[in-house]
């Protein structure tokens, strides 16, 4: 079939792979023209981020909210959501444990009933730690999901703080990854 330029601006007769390399570049593609399926497995499809500051504390031995959440609407049920959180933490009490876990809506994504035990207090008048967690979730939905960071103290009790100093900031990121 011969290549033909029609009066309405369309071209017919071009077969797949019929254009020379380099003839179509990213500037020629329409916005959002490449779908998630075309991007391929492992591609980052979207990023949602929450950025906040202001001290948060807990004395709870049950899961308590930190007030830090991020919502994301997956584009496919097969998508994975990569969660990433990092911040400074201060144990205000000697020799106590503090646990952190991700929650999807009301579901604890922790590996056991305690979630991830990330911090253990040491002797002295408290201890600064860095909280850093990454988790790959499979929500199996195209509806909006809200992820939160929750925490609790071990049976020893005490007080724990996030963003202990007013100059500290917290970032919580959710990235949709193509399956």
């Amino acid at each position: 079939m011969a290549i033909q330029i029609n009066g309405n601006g369309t071209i017919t007769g071009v077969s797949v792979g019929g254009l020379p390399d380099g003839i179509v570049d990213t500037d020629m593609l329409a916005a959002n023209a490449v779908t998630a399926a075309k991007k391929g497995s492992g591609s980052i499809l979207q990023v949602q981020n929450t950025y906040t500051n202001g001290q948060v504390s807990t004395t709870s031995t049950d899961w308590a909210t930190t007030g830090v959440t991020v919502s994301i609407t997956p584009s496919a049920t097969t998508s994975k959501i990569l969660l990433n959180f990092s911040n400074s933490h201060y144990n205000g009490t000697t020799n106590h444990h503090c646990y952190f876990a991700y929650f999807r809506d009301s579901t604890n994504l922790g590996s056991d009933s305690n979630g991830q035990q990330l911090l253990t207090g040491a002797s002295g008048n408290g201890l600064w730690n860095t909280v850093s967690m990454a988790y790959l979730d499979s929500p199996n939905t195209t509806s909006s999901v809200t992820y939160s960071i929750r925490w609790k103290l071990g049976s020893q009790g005490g007080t724990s703080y996030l963003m202990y100093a007013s100059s500290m900031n917290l970032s919580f990121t959710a990235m949709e990854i193509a399956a």
Side-chain angles (χ1 to χ4, degrees), residues 80-166:
K80 308 290 186 196
I81 305 297
L82 179 61
L83 304 171
N84 191 357
F85 157 71
S86 182
N87 193 259
S88 294
H89 168 268
Y90 180 72
N91 287 345
T93 306
T94 302
N95 295 322
H96 82 278
H97 300 279
C98 185
Y99 303 94
F100 287 80
Y102 287 125
F103 278 68
R104 179 189 343 107
D105 297 322
S106 61
T107 302
N108 183 346
L109 301 177
S111 60
D112 58 31
S113 62
N114 288 325
Q116 297 181 4
Q117 180 184 344
L118 297 176
L119 307 170
T120 303
S123 61
N125 293 325
L127 178 67
W128 281 97
N129 294 281
T130 298
V131 180
S132 183
M133 296 190 323
Y135 185 82
L136 188 62
D137 187 33
S138 301
N140 193 31
T141 186
T142 55
S143 297
S144 178
V145 280
T146 299
Y147 291 97
S148 62
I149 301 164
R150 297 187 192 179
W151 57 345
K152 70 177 184 175
L153 299 174
S155 59
Q156 307 90 342
T159 304
S160 287
Y161 303 88
L162 280 176
M163 301 173 292
Y164 189 68
S166 61

Side-chain angles (χ1 to χ4, degrees), residues 2-12:
I3 295 177
Q4 184 176 20
I5 300 176
N6 300 320
N8 62 2
T10 61
I11 300 174
T12 58

Side-chain angles (χ1 to χ4, degrees), residues 39-109:
K39 289 181 181 177
S41 179
S43 297
I44 297 174
L45 304 178
Q46 66 172 307
V47 177
Q48 301 296 326
N49 182 267
T50 296
Y51 182 80
T52 188
N53 62 13
Q55 186 183 91
V56 180
S57 65
T58 190
T59 58
S60 179
T61 55
D62 293 321
W63 288 113
T65 181
T66 60
V68 180
T69 64
V70 66
S71 294
I72 192 166
T73 303
S75 59
T77 58
T78 56
S79 291
K80 308 290 186 196
I81 305 297
L82 179 61
L83 304 171
N84 191 357
F85 157 71
S86 182
N87 193 259
S88 294
H89 168 268
Y90 180 72
N91 287 345
T93 306
T94 302
N95 295 322
H96 82 278
H97 300 279
C98 185
Y99 303 94
F100 287 80
Y102 287 125
F103 278 68
R104 179 189 343 107
D105 297 322
S106 61
T107 302
N108 183 346
L109 301 177

